[in-house]
Amino acid sequence: MLEHGGRLARAARRYGVPVEAWLDLSTGISPFAWPVTSMPAAAWHRLPEEDDGLADAARAYYGSAHLLPVAGSQAAIAALPRLRAPSRVAVIAPGYAEHAHAWRQAGHAVTTLPWADLRERAGEFDVVVLIRPNNPTGEWLGTSDILACHDTVGAHPGATGARAAPAREQDNPWLIVDEAFIDTRPDDSVTPHARDGLIVLRSVGKFFGLAGARAGFVAAAPPILDALAEMLGPWTLSGPTRHVVTRALNDRVWQASARECLRHAATRLATLLGRHGLTPDGGSDFFQYVRRHDAAVLADRLARHAILVRAFDDPSALRFGLPGDDAAFARLDRALAEVTR
């Protein structure tokens, strides 16, 4: 399995610090979680039912008529490669490593490319995977660029110069766009544009702070969603998860407040990092990204202050999630003053 943020218990064992004493900034999950309160007993006792209001709430929130609930966007990342025959796949890099890993595990030929190269070479591939905003760099890809890329995927210069018509819908060229961190910019999402060959992944865990619920959605043409649903089987979301996610998706007042909190905290974090010589090289409303040749060393030093951040090797960089309150910001400020001296 690949490395991910959030492995707090492992860090606690390694550094000998109790879990409750840590400040976990390693995941990019919003610290301003939607408040889960009471849960009807039926959500625990009955099998989940599809006509419980979740589909309507999701269609209204995401602006797409064709959606499939999945156990976090990770479930779709792992399953989509298994729907296709062996294909030529391009994945944006640097980026969320599970994408390239899943396609390789399923036997596809995978090339990782920065956006500038991928955009020019999209026609060489059967599948292109993009992330916006990118994780971990925060790089932003414009909607017009994404839609233009969708029109180019699978053109295969030097061959027919046009898309063939395969026997199965799922063997047409695909553009997959992972929008796990886009919820603070809902009007910029390409989810409403999902159609033949354009597949969009959405996460509930990041913006709503409900990572433990393991919920997400896939927007795509119905044949793709049907094939994915057949592969994943029934009851992809538990009854309690469906209940909580329905309420969260319908809570427009909380959503507006959360977006403002996230934007403010992201700006505050960027300013704080800059004061310590760690001016971000990128970021989003959920995290800040800093390239450092000594990223692993700095992450270790912060861990000795019981602050967990995510370190990357290629390129060497750190990703800082958002502190959730004044005390957390002050704690990070003090630790950085020591570890960057």
Side-chain angles (χ1 to χ4, degrees):
M1 293 179 64
L2 300 180
E3 286 292 315
H4 293 282
R7 294 186 172 181
L8 197 54
R10 186 176 67 176
R13 291 191 299 270
R14 177 180 177 184
Y15 291 94
V17 179
V19 168
E20 60 272 14
W22 285 79
L23 173 60
D24 185 4
L25 305 179
S26 68
T27 67
I29 296 165
S30 172
F32 313 112
W34 187 80
V36 179
T37 53
S38 59
M39 182 74 63
W44 294 105
H45 300 320
R46 294 184 55 80
L47 287 171
E49 300 199 35
E50 294 184 357
D51 57 351
D52 58 0
L54 176 61
D56 290 338
R59 284 192 285 264
Y61 180 81
Y62 294 112
S64 177
H66 304 295
L67 294 161
L68 178 70
V70 292
S73 52
Q74 180 61 44
I77 290 170
L80 284 169
R82 293 183 280 140
L83 293 181
R84 292 187 66 94
S87 303
R88 293 172 292 181
V89 181
V91 180
I92 193 168
Y96 183 55
E98 287 287 351
H99 286 289
H101 177 69
W103 286 95
R104 289 192 179 106
Q105 289 287 94
H108 302 274
V110 177
T111 302
T112 57
L113 294 167
W115 168 237
D117 296 334
L118 196 159
R119 177 170 47 189
E120 296 301 318
R121 296 179 54 188
E124 301 175 23
F125 300 97
D126 306 299
V127 178
V128 169
V129 181
L130 303 177
I131 308 168
R132 70 188 297 252
N134 196 8
N135 171 26
T137 68
E139 181 181 15
W140 180 259
L141 313 180
T143 298
S144 60
D145 289 332
I146 288 177
L147 297 180
C149 184
H150 172 249
D151 292 335
T152 305
V153 177
H156 303 312
T160 63
R163 304 184 185 198
R168 303 188 312 163
E169 173 66 28
Q170 55 262 45
D171 288 326
N172 275 310
W174 285 359
L175 175 63
I176 300 173
V177 186
D178 181 345
E179 291 191 331
F181 289 100
I182 205 170
D183 293 71
T184 55
R185 302 177 62 170
D187 294 339
D188 293 322
S189 171
V190 295
T191 306
H193 298 279
R195 56 183 185 267
D196 291 347
L198 178 54
I199 301 168
V200 187
L201 311 183
R202 299 296 298 266
S203 169
V204 171
K206 310 299 190 301
F207 174 64
F208 291 96
L210 297 173
R214 303 311 307 136
F217 291 86
V218 180
I224 300 298
L225 298 183
D226 291 345
L228 186 58
E230 182 72 18
M231 174 173 286
L232 295 176
W235 310 307
T236 56
L237 298 184
S238 70
T241 291
R242 294 182 69 96
H243 174 80
V244 168
V245 171
T246 300
R247 293 178 62 196
L249 292 176
N250 285 329
D251 193 344
R252 301 309 171 91
V253 173
W254 179 90
Q255 292 161 20
S257 175
R259 290 186 181 106
E260 186 62 29
C261 288
L262 285 163
R263 294 186 191 109
H264 174 74
T267 300
R268 185 178 178 184
L269 176 58
T271 300
L272 171 60
L273 293 171
R275 287 205 305 268
H276 295 282
L278 299 170
T279 300
D281 295 282
S284 73
D285 291 331
F286 295 83
F287 55 81
Q288 296 294 339
Y289 177 75
V290 181
R291 290 197 179 193
R292 293 271 299 198
H293 71 280
D294 59 347
V297 172
L298 191 56
D300 177 72
R301 290 174 180 170
L302 285 169
R304 296 182 188 282
H305 289 263
I307 296 177
L308 189 62
V309 299
R310 183 73 195 281
F312 298 89
D313 296 326
D314 187 21
S316 181
L318 296 167
R319 188 188 65 195
F320 292 80
L322 304 180
D325 53 31
D326 290 343
F329 270 101
R331 180 175 171 183
L332 178 61
D333 193 11
R334 292 192 301 270
L336 287 174
E338 292 194 30
V339 305
T340 59
R341 280 190 298 193

Coordinates of all heavy atoms in Angstrom, one line a residue, residues 128-171:
V128 N -6.7 9.8 -19.7 CA -5.9 10.8 -19.1 C -6.6 11.1 -17.7 O -7.8 11.2 -17.6 CB -5.9 12.1 -19.9 CG1 -5.3 13.3 -19.1 CG2 -5.1 11.9 -21.2
V129 N -5.7 11.2 -16.7 CA -6.2 11.5 -15.3 C -5.7 12.8 -14.8 O -4.4 13.0 -14.8 CB -5.8 10.4 -14.3 CG1 -6.3 10.7 -12.9 CG2 -6.3 9.0 -14.8
L130 N -6.6 13.7 -14.5 CA -6.2 15.1 -14.0 C -6.7 15.2 -12.6 O -7.7 14.6 -12.1 CB -6.8 16.2 -14.9 CG -6.4 16.1 -16.4 CD1 -7.1 17.2 -17.1 CD2 -4.9 16.2 -16.5
I131 N -6.1 16.2 -11.9 CA -6.6 16.5 -10.5 C -6.7 18.0 -10.4 O -5.7 18.7 -10.7 CB -5.6 16.0 -9.4 CG1 -5.3 14.5 -9.7 CG2 -6.1 16.2 -8.0 CD1 -4.1 14.0 -8.9
R132 N -7.8 18.6 -9.9 CA -8.0 20.0 -9.8 C -8.8 20.4 -8.6 O -9.9 19.9 -8.4 CB -8.5 20.6 -11.0 CG -10.0 20.3 -11.3 CD -10.5 20.7 -12.6 NE -10.5 22.2 -12.8 CZ -11.6 22.9 -12.9 NH1 -12.8 22.3 -12.6 NH2 -11.6 24.1 -13.2
P133 N -8.3 21.2 -7.7 CA -6.9 21.6 -7.6 C -6.0 20.4 -7.4 O -6.5 19.5 -6.7 CB -6.8 22.6 -6.5 CG -8.0 22.3 -5.6 CD -9.1 21.8 -6.5
N134 N -4.8 20.5 -7.9 CA -4.0 19.3 -7.8 C -3.6 19.0 -6.3 O -3.4 19.9 -5.5 CB -2.7 19.5 -8.6 CG -2.0 18.1 -8.9 OD1 -2.5 17.1 -8.5 ND2 -0.8 18.2 -9.4
N135 N -3.5 17.8 -6.0 CA -3.0 17.3 -4.7 C -1.7 16.5 -4.9 O -1.7 15.5 -5.6 CB -4.1 16.4 -4.1 CG -3.6 15.7 -2.8 OD1 -2.7 16.2 -2.1 ND2 -4.2 14.6 -2.5
P136 N -0.6 17.1 -4.4 CA -0.4 18.0 -3.3 C 0.0 19.5 -3.8 O 0.1 20.3 -2.9 CB 0.8 17.4 -2.6 CG 1.6 16.9 -3.6 CD 0.7 16.4 -4.7
T137 N 0.1 19.7 -5.0 CA 0.7 21.0 -5.4 C -0.2 22.2 -5.4 O 0.2 23.3 -5.3 CB 1.3 20.9 -6.9 OG1 0.3 20.8 -7.8 CG2 2.3 19.8 -7.0
G138 N -1.5 21.9 -5.5 CA -2.5 23.0 -5.6 C -2.6 23.6 -7.0 O -3.4 24.6 -7.2
E139 N -1.9 23.1 -8.0 CA -2.0 23.6 -9.3 C -3.4 23.6 -9.8 O -4.2 22.6 -9.6 CB -1.1 22.8 -10.3 CG -1.1 23.2 -11.7 CD -0.3 22.4 -12.6 OE1 0.1 21.2 -12.2 OE2 0.0 22.8 -13.7
W140 N -3.8 24.7 -10.5 CA -5.2 24.9 -10.9 C -5.3 24.8 -12.4 O -4.5 25.4 -13.2 CB -5.8 26.2 -10.5 CG -7.2 26.4 -10.9 CD1 -7.7 27.1 -12.0 CD2 -8.4 25.8 -10.3 NE1 -9.0 27.0 -12.1 CE2 -9.5 26.2 -11.1 CE3 -8.6 24.9 -9.3 CZ2 -10.8 25.8 -10.8 CZ3 -9.9 24.5 -9.0 CH2 -10.9 25.0 -9.7
L141 N -6.2 23.9 -12.9 CA -6.4 23.7 -14.4 C -7.7 24.4 -14.7 O -8.7 24.1 -14.1 CB -6.4 22.3 -14.7 CG -5.3 21.4 -14.2 CD1 -5.4 19.9 -14.6 CD2 -3.9 21.9 -14.5
G142 N -7.7 25.2 -15.8 CA -8.9 25.9 -16.2 C -9.9 25.0 -16.8 O -9.6 24.0 -17.4
T143 N -11.2 25.4 -16.6 CA -12.3 24.6 -17.2 C -12.1 24.4 -18.7 O -12.3 23.3 -19.2 CB -13.6 25.2 -16.8 OG1 -13.8 25.2 -15.4 CG2 -14.8 24.4 -17.4
S144 N -11.8 25.5 -19.4 CA -11.7 25.4 -20.8 C -10.6 24.5 -21.3 O -10.7 23.8 -22.2 CB -11.5 26.8 -21.4 OG -10.3 27.4 -20.9
D145 N -9.5 24.5 -20.5 CA -8.4 23.6 -20.8 C -8.8 22.2 -20.6 O -8.4 21.3 -21.4 CB -7.2 23.9 -19.9 CG -6.5 25.2 -20.3 OD1 -6.6 25.6 -21.5 OD2 -5.9 25.9 -19.4
I146 N -9.5 21.9 -19.5 CA -10.0 20.5 -19.3 C -10.9 20.0 -20.4 O -10.8 18.9 -20.9 CB -10.6 20.4 -17.9 CG1 -9.6 20.6 -16.8 CG2 -11.4 19.1 -17.7 CD1 -10.1 20.6 -15.4
L147 N -11.9 20.8 -20.8 CA -12.8 20.4 -21.8 C -12.1 20.2 -23.1 O -12.4 19.3 -23.9 CB -13.9 21.4 -21.9 CG -14.8 21.6 -20.6 CD1 -15.9 22.6 -20.9 CD2 -15.4 20.2 -20.2
A148 N -11.1 21.1 -23.4 CA -10.3 20.9 -24.6 C -9.5 19.6 -24.6 O -9.4 18.9 -25.6 CB -9.4 22.1 -24.8
C149 N -9.0 19.3 -23.4 CA -8.2 18.1 -23.2 C -9.2 16.9 -23.5 O -8.8 15.9 -24.1 CB -7.6 18.0 -21.8 SG -6.6 16.5 -21.5
H150 N -10.4 17.0 -23.0 CA -11.3 15.9 -23.2 C -11.6 15.6 -24.7 O -11.7 14.5 -25.1 CB -12.7 16.2 -22.5 CG -13.8 15.3 -22.8 ND1 -14.9 15.6 -23.6 CD2 -14.0 14.0 -22.5 CE1 -15.7 14.6 -23.7 NE2 -15.1 13.6 -23.1
D151 N -11.6 16.7 -25.4 CA -11.9 16.5 -26.9 C -10.7 15.9 -27.6 O -10.8 15.4 -28.7 CB -12.2 17.9 -27.5 CG -13.5 18.5 -27.0 OD1 -14.4 17.7 -26.7 OD2 -13.7 19.7 -27.1
T152 N -9.5 16.0 -27.0 CA -8.3 15.5 -27.6 C -7.9 14.1 -27.2 O -7.3 13.4 -28.0 CB -7.1 16.4 -27.2 OG1 -7.4 17.8 -27.5 CG2 -5.8 16.1 -27.9
V153 N -8.3 13.6 -26.0 CA -7.9 12.3 -25.6 C -8.3 11.2 -26.6 O -9.4 11.2 -27.1 CB -8.5 12.0 -24.2 CG1 -8.1 10.6 -23.8 CG2 -8.1 13.0 -23.2
G154 N -7.3 10.4 -26.9 CA -7.6 9.3 -27.8 C -7.6 9.6 -29.3 O -7.9 8.7 -30.1
A155 N -7.2 10.8 -29.7 CA -7.1 11.1 -31.1 C -6.0 10.4 -31.8 O -6.1 10.1 -33.0 CB -6.9 12.6 -31.3
H156 N -4.9 10.0 -31.0 CA -3.9 9.1 -31.6 C -3.3 9.7 -32.9 O -3.5 9.1 -33.9 CB -4.3 7.7 -31.8 CG -4.8 7.1 -30.5 ND1 -4.2 7.1 -29.3 CD2 -6.0 6.3 -30.3 CE1 -4.9 6.5 -28.4 NE2 -6.0 6.0 -29.0
P157 N -2.6 10.8 -32.8 CA -1.9 11.3 -34.1 C -1.0 10.2 -34.7 O -0.4 9.4 -34.0 CB -1.1 12.4 -33.5 CG -1.7 12.9 -32.3 CD -2.3 11.6 -31.7
G158 N -1.1 10.1 -36.0 CA -0.3 9.1 -36.7 C -1.1 7.8 -37.0 O -0.7 7.0 -37.8
A159 N -2.2 7.7 -36.3 CA -3.1 6.6 -36.6 C -4.3 7.1 -37.5 O -4.1 7.7 -38.5 CB -3.6 5.9 -35.3
T160 N -5.5 6.9 -37.0 CA -6.6 7.4 -37.8 C -6.9 8.9 -37.6 O -7.5 9.5 -38.4 CB -7.9 6.7 -37.4 OG1 -8.2 7.0 -36.0 CG2 -7.7 5.2 -37.5
G161 N -6.3 9.5 -36.5 CA -6.6 10.9 -36.2 C -8.0 11.1 -35.7 O -8.4 12.3 -35.5
A162 N -8.7 10.1 -35.5 CA -10.1 10.3 -34.9 C -10.4 9.1 -34.0 O -9.7 8.0 -34.1 CB -11.1 10.3 -36.1
R163 N -11.4 9.2 -33.2 CA -11.7 8.2 -32.2 C -12.5 7.0 -32.9 O -13.4 7.3 -33.7 CB -12.6 8.7 -31.1 CG -11.9 9.9 -30.4 CD -12.8 10.4 -29.2 NE -12.3 11.6 -28.6 CZ -12.6 12.0 -27.4 NH1 -13.5 11.3 -26.7 NH2 -12.1 13.1 -26.9
A164 N -12.0 5.9 -32.6 CA -12.7 4.7 -33.1 C -14.0 4.5 -32.3 O -14.2 5.1 -31.2 CB -11.8 3.5 -33.1
A165 N -14.8 3.5 -32.7 CA -16.1 3.2 -32.0 C -15.9 1.8 -31.4 O -16.3 0.8 -32.1 CB -17.3 3.4 -32.8
P166 N -15.5 1.6 -30.2 CA -15.3 0.3 -29.6 C -16.6 -0.4 -29.3 O -17.6 0.3 -29.3 CB -14.5 0.6 -28.3 CG -14.8 2.0 -27.9 CD -15.1 2.7 -29.2
A167 N -16.5 -1.7 -29.1 CA -17.7 -2.4 -28.8 C -18.4 -2.1 -27.5 O -19.6 -2.1 -27.4 CB -17.4 -3.9 -28.9
R168 N -17.5 -1.6 -26.5 CA -18.1 -1.3 -25.2 C -17.9 0.2 -25.0 O -16.9 0.8 -25.3 CB -17.4 -2.1 -24.1 CG -17.4 -3.6 -24.3 CD -16.8 -4.3 -23.0 NE -15.6 -3.7 -22.6 CZ -15.0 -3.8 -21.4 NH1 -15.6 -4.5 -20.5 NH2 -13.8 -3.2 -21.1
E169 N -18.9 0.8 -24.4 CA -18.8 2.2 -24.0 C -17.6 2.5 -23.2 O -16.9 3.5 -23.3 CB -20.1 2.6 -23.3 CG -20.1 4.1 -22.8 CD -20.0 5.1 -23.9 OE1 -20.5 4.8 -25.0 OE2 -19.5 6.2 -23.6
Q170 N -17.3 1.6 -22.2 CA -16.2 1.9 -21.3 C -14.8 1.7 -21.9 O -13.8 2.0 -21.3 CB -16.3 1.0 -20.0 CG -16.3 -0.5 -20.3 CD -17.7 -1.0 -20.2 OE1 -18.6 -0.4 -20.8 NE2 -18.0 -2.1 -19.5
D171 N -14.8 1.4 -23.2 CA -13.5 1.3 -23.9 C -13.3 2.6 -24.8 O -12.3 2.6 -25.5 CB -13.3 0.0 -24.7 CG -13.1 -1.2 -23.8 OD1 -12.4 -1.0 -22.8 OD2 -13.5 -2.2 -24.1

